[in-house]
Amino acid sequence: MTAVTAPSSPAERGQPGMRLTLKVWRQADAASPGKMVTYEANDISPDMSFLEMLDVVNEQLILSGEDPVAFDHDCREGICGSCDLMVNGYAHGPRRGTTVCQLHMREYSDGDTIYVEPWRAASFPVIKDLVVDRGALDRIVAAGGFISVPTGSPQDANALPVPKDDADRAMDAAACIGCGACVAACPNASASLFTGAKLTHLGSLPQGQPERYRRALAMLDQMDAEGFGSCTNIGECSAACPKEIPMDVISQMNADVRKASRSRR
Ligand code: SF4
Ligand code: FES
């Protein structure tokens, strides 16, 4: 197996690296006031990811005895939904359909100033620096984002035929990685795109039908209880979404909720 190594620095390759100025949000904990702090990032390779660039800054901070900048990350492959940074005011940075862990420093030029902030939403309180608590999204899923099935032996793979269009729609909606960029980008801090994606995923499949309308009401109620705003069709959510979830999942959510509400009367 080939070992994966971090890109060598430009200095190690005898090339000049980029020099950047970072303005980074620092906040000790949820109760403390935060502020922007300026750092210099030197010898940055265009091949580094944005998070690798922050690693370089943190190594320097640690060597000089300072507290490194806290930020969320895990897979660094665009699949886990852990990374969550506002870069120059854009959720996940300027590239469409790209998580900030897959954003590369070649997007920037030598001498640039880059602002790095946490997701801004009342339902996502800051834990430290750039790390926010996105447990509210987990609680929306816990309210109904599942199907109830008797456990036991799995049935044969093709026992339940699913029309291709339905399978594709469910699969596209299931691409949501729960990063919360849609909330951070929305002026109303609405979680409608996230919730709509979860509802569309399960509501497009036969296994999701028995609980479909109960699920829609429960997840919408939880979304409201968490303090997320309402959708006013601005569309920033879908534009910021690294998985390019389309806004029509919100239409499906609203249609399911309307139908559920009518049957409850
Ligand atoms: S809908 Fe898109 S932006 Fe929102 S949580 Fe899912 S992947 Fe992230
Ligand atoms: S770290 Fe997993 S999606 Fe970015």
Side-chain angles (χ1 to χ4, degrees):
M1 194 160 75
T2 312
V4 178
T5 53
S8 58
S9 77
E12 285 166 355
R13 298 193 309 246
Q15 298 164 349
M18 286 195 287
R19 297 170 67 91
L20 304 165
T21 301
L22 300 184
K23 306 273 185 185
V24 182
W25 183 259
R26 301 299 314 258
Q27 184 171 344
D29 53 48
S32 306
K35 62 177 182 184
M36 300 300 279
V37 178
T38 303
Y39 299 104
E40 299 301 322
N42 298 323
D43 195 25
I44 299 300
S45 163
D47 297 332
M48 285 178 183
S49 72
F50 201 87
L51 302 191
E52 285 168 341
M53 181 275 293
L54 289 180
D55 292 340
V56 170
V57 173
N58 273 346
E59 279 171 18
Q60 292 303 319
L61 289 175
I62 291 166
L63 285 174
S64 58
E66 291 181 54
D67 191 25
V69 178
F71 63 92
D72 249 335
H73 60 100
D74 191 1
C75 71
R76 299 198 178 202
E77 292 181 352
I79 50 177
C80 75
S82 295
C83 58
D84 53 347
L85 300 176
M86 296 298 286
V87 183
N88 285 344
Y90 291 100
H92 286 299
R95 238 186 135 68
R96 264 188 110 92
T98 305
T99 52
V100 73
C101 63
Q102 295 211 301
L103 179 69
H104 285 86
M105 296 314 296
R106 65 183 75 99
E107 293 290 329
Y108 301 93
S109 304
D110 188 37
D112 277 358
T113 297
I114 305 174
Y115 289 77
V116 191
E117 297 170 82
W119 282 173
R120 298 284 187 198
S123 304
F124 291 162
V126 172
I127 295 173
K128 185 178 180 189
D129 296 336
L130 304 172
V131 180
V132 299
D133 180 354
R134 286 172 288 169
L137 298 184
D138 296 334
R139 291 188 288 275
I140 292 174
V141 171
F146 50 80
I147 56 167
S148 305
V149 290
T151 55
S153 305
Q155 62 186 15
D156 288 343
N158 291 325
L160 196 59
V162 181
K164 177 80 166 69
D165 287 349
D166 293 349
D168 286 350
R169 182 156 172 78
M171 196 69 181
D172 288 348
C176 167
I177 53 175
C179 63
C182 45
V183 177
C186 174
N188 307 327
S190 172
S192 292
L193 195 73
F194 166 81
T195 309
K198 302 301 171 201
L199 289 170
T200 300
H201 166 206
L202 296 174
S204 300
L205 295 170
Q207 298 93 327
Q209 297 312 309
E211 295 161 299
R212 178 170 174 176
Y213 300 104
R214 196 176 351 138
R215 174 186 308 117
L217 280 181
M219 291 180 73
L220 196 82
D221 284 349
Q222 190 63 35
M223 189 174 81
D224 289 343
E226 297 290 347
F228 291 107
S230 299
C231 175
T232 51
N233 287 324
I234 291 170
E236 284 291 323
C237 54
S238 188
C241 174
K243 299 301 163 187
E244 302 186 274
I245 302 288
M247 282 187 68
D248 67 3
V249 300
I250 301 177
S251 311
Q252 177 155 342
M253 173 179 78
N254 290 337
D256 284 2
V257 167
R258 264 198 308 276
K259 192 160 180 184
S261 304
R262 273 201 296 270
S263 63
R264 207 160 56 170
R265 280 186 214 135

